[in-house]
Amino acid sequence: MAPILIVGSGPAGMSAAIALARRGVRPVVVSDAPHAGGQGFRRLNPQMALDARRIYGAEARKYEALHRDFEAILPQIDYRPATLVWAIYEGKAFILRDGQAGEIAWSGLILAPGATDRIMPVAGWTRPGVFSLGAAQIALKDQGAFIGRKVVFAGSSPLLLLAALQYRTHGARDIAVLDTTPLGAKLRAAPGLRHSPGTALRGLRLMRALKRLGVPVHQGVRLEAIEGADRVSAIRFTAPSGQECRIACDAVALGHGLRAETQLAELADCDFAFDAALRQWLPVADADGRAGERLYLAGDGACIGGADAAIAGGALSAEALLAELGEPGPSARRRRLRGTVARLRRFQRGLAGAFRWPHEEAGRLADTVTVCRCEMVTAGEIRTAVRADLGPAEVNRVKAVTRCGMGRCQGRFCGPALAEITAEASQSPIDAVGRLRAQAPVKPLPLSAADTRS
């Protein structure tokens, strides 16, 4: 019998593997990452001798427990790190590992691919020295390094505060946070945070810690431009008072929350629906994560929910899949996990109000601003295409005309802005312009892979 296949080794994939192994099932776990943990619980580079408690703070015990439990089951699973799943068709995953192509058939599939940074472009965001917020954290967790000597964390995300505190506690002294969501919006979103008061409290502690350490946090700003000649030299923004301000810096970490990695779910024939609160298209799944026959989704790739929701969701999908395969476990455990996931996702929707995706900024982007870094497509080129006679008002057609989203990242970073600009230029609701369709390979492959397929 074919094995159960788990794609992804972040908190959701790890949790699903642990749940299956504890039930005596040996799954195959594949991930293109070299180590388990995903981004949120990325395994710290042991050669850097980093202190998990200084990196993860109150989450350190959870990080250590998850990695300890996963390492304990390694003899009981078939774990294949650094393995890319580039397509899924007809009950098989098509993989690439060490330059060798291959296939894995499954009896059940759990997709837990996680999420990537969502970014609203700003003038100058393609300059050397601008990183995604996730990349700024990778530099610290993997290499014990900062992305610059004077770093500004800019955008709208609770992870801005977390990353800034991680940098500060590791010795970075010249840092600042520019949060584009006004304080009033945060206060209005406060009722939605009641679904996870402990998480909300951790957020307040982050803000207090940054204040105590003297890190300036500017809220409700409008990002105007990232300046510099050969690389970043400053970031310019407008304060809520209307005053134009400028901070000298040599690096910017930019992030506006997360977008779900959904390409493999689409190739696996999942249906999609637009989530107005998170303002993105997500695969449709039931409360257990079931999206089709023996097909389950877990973690941020199913719906943005954070690490706790991913851990609970991974275990829930494993239990539900086993039940579908005729090996049901205790129903009380599934009910508890189901309740946890639902509650944390409600919290995340409240958080989306406290840290807003600044979609209206797409309409303010100058025509000269680059939206697609891979193909160097500007906001003006997108608007020209949409506003032309018989011009497209659907993102896949806009992509075909402009090449926005056709590059190496396959629209992962430019896709959200492309949709917003298309909606604004065509004066259509955002959910009416569609979503970029996924195509295999979901990530670039070397041509040599075609010769190695077994």
Side-chain angles (χ1 to χ4, degrees), residues 115-119 132-135 159 254-259 412-413 416:
T116 52
D117 288 286
R118 182 161 62 165
I119 292 176
S132 70
L133 186 56
L159 297 178
L254 192 60
H256 297 88
L258 300 174
R259 55 163 290 283
R412 285 177 172 81
F413 291 99

Side-chain angles (χ1 to χ4, degrees), residues 21-380:
R22 287 176 175 171
R23 293 281 302 277
V25 176
R26 181 181 174 83
V28 176
V29 182
V30 298
S31 171
D32 56 353
H35 304 290
Q39 173 60 9
F41 282 161
R42 174 175 288 272
R43 183 179 177 183
L44 301 179
N45 187 339
Q47 295 179 329
M48 294 294 110
L50 295 167
D51 184 350
R53 296 181 189 283
R54 290 176 65 193
I55 293 283
Y56 292 107
E59 297 292 282
R61 288 185 178 179
K62 202 173 298 177
Y63 158 84
E64 291 169 345
L66 184 62
H67 279 275
R68 183 179 60 245
D69 291 348
F70 187 72
E71 288 174 10
I73 63 155
L74 285 178
Q76 302 164 248
I77 67 175
D78 181 353
Y79 175 42
R80 305 182 191 182
T83 302
L84 171 67
V85 176
W86 56 270
I88 289 177
Y89 292 111
E90 298 178 347
K92 293 180 181 177
F94 295 83
I95 64 171
L96 184 73
R97 185 182 192 189
D98 295 331
Q100 300 292 312
E103 302 173 1
I104 301 175
W106 73 77
S107 60
L109 175 63
I110 298 175
L111 291 176
T116 52
D117 288 286
R118 182 161 62 165
I119 292 176
M120 175 59 72
V122 59
W125 77 292
T126 56
R127 294 187 193 286
V130 179
F131 295 74
S132 70
L133 186 56
Q137 288 188 294
I138 290 172
L140 178 60
K141 294 177 181 177
D142 198 52
Q143 300 299 319
F146 304 141
I147 59 173
R149 295 179 181 277
K150 299 180 178 181
V151 182
V152 173
F153 298 86
S156 181
S157 168
L159 297 178
L160 292 173
L161 306 175
L162 176 62
L165 184 60
Q166 289 169 338
Y167 268 54
R168 182 65 183 84
T169 55
H170 282 80
R173 297 190 176 280
D174 204 347
I175 61 176
V177 177
L178 299 180
D179 183 347
T180 60
T181 303
L183 178 60
K186 288 184 170 59
L187 296 176
R188 288 192 294 276
L193 306 184
R194 69 186 185 282
H195 301 294
S196 183
T199 307
L201 186 60
R202 284 200 298 273
L204 292 174
R205 286 173 178 158
L206 282 178
M207 296 186 72
R208 282 204 298 268
L210 288 172
K211 184 176 181 180
R212 186 177 67 252
L213 293 169
V215 177
V217 178
H218 304 272
Q219 299 190 64
V221 308
R222 172 172 286 169
L223 303 180
E224 302 292 352
I226 298 171
E227 301 175 337
D230 296 331
R231 60 168 296 119
V232 172
S233 63
I235 184 167
R236 184 161 47 82
F237 63 97
T238 301
S241 64
Q243 180 183 4
E244 189 165 290
C245 306
R246 189 170 178 274
I247 297 177
C249 59
D250 60 4
V252 174
L254 192 60
H256 297 88
L258 300 174
R259 55 163 290 283
E261 281 285 305
T262 60
Q263 291 89 349
L264 291 178
E266 181 167 353
L267 296 184
D269 288 333
C270 291
D271 294 326
F272 279 71
F274 186 74
D275 188 306
L278 299 176
R279 207 172 170 88
Q280 55 186 288
W281 290 86
L282 296 171
V284 176
D286 68 13
D288 289 345
R290 187 177 190 274
E293 185 179 359
R294 295 175 285 114
L295 169 60
Y296 289 78
L297 309 174
D300 286 345
C303 179
I304 304 301
D308 289 346
I311 292 171
L316 175 60
S317 64
E319 294 289 349
L321 175 55
L322 288 178
E324 184 176 344
L325 293 174
E327 299 180 31
S331 57
R333 172 172 162 77
R334 281 176 61 188
R335 283 198 302 273
R336 179 177 59 78
L337 291 169
R338 198 179 293 144
T340 299
V341 172
R343 176 176 58 79
L344 293 173
R345 286 180 177 167
R346 287 196 295 272
F347 169 80
Q348 201 65 219
R349 288 187 164 83
L351 199 62
F355 294 92
R356 291 182 61 250
W357 162 242
H359 60 86
E360 64 281 356
E361 292 300 312
R364 293 184 64 247
L365 283 177
D367 282 347
T368 55
V369 172
T370 298
V371 174
C372 175
R373 297 182 300 182
C374 303
E375 296 291 328
M376 297 304 291
V377 181
T378 66

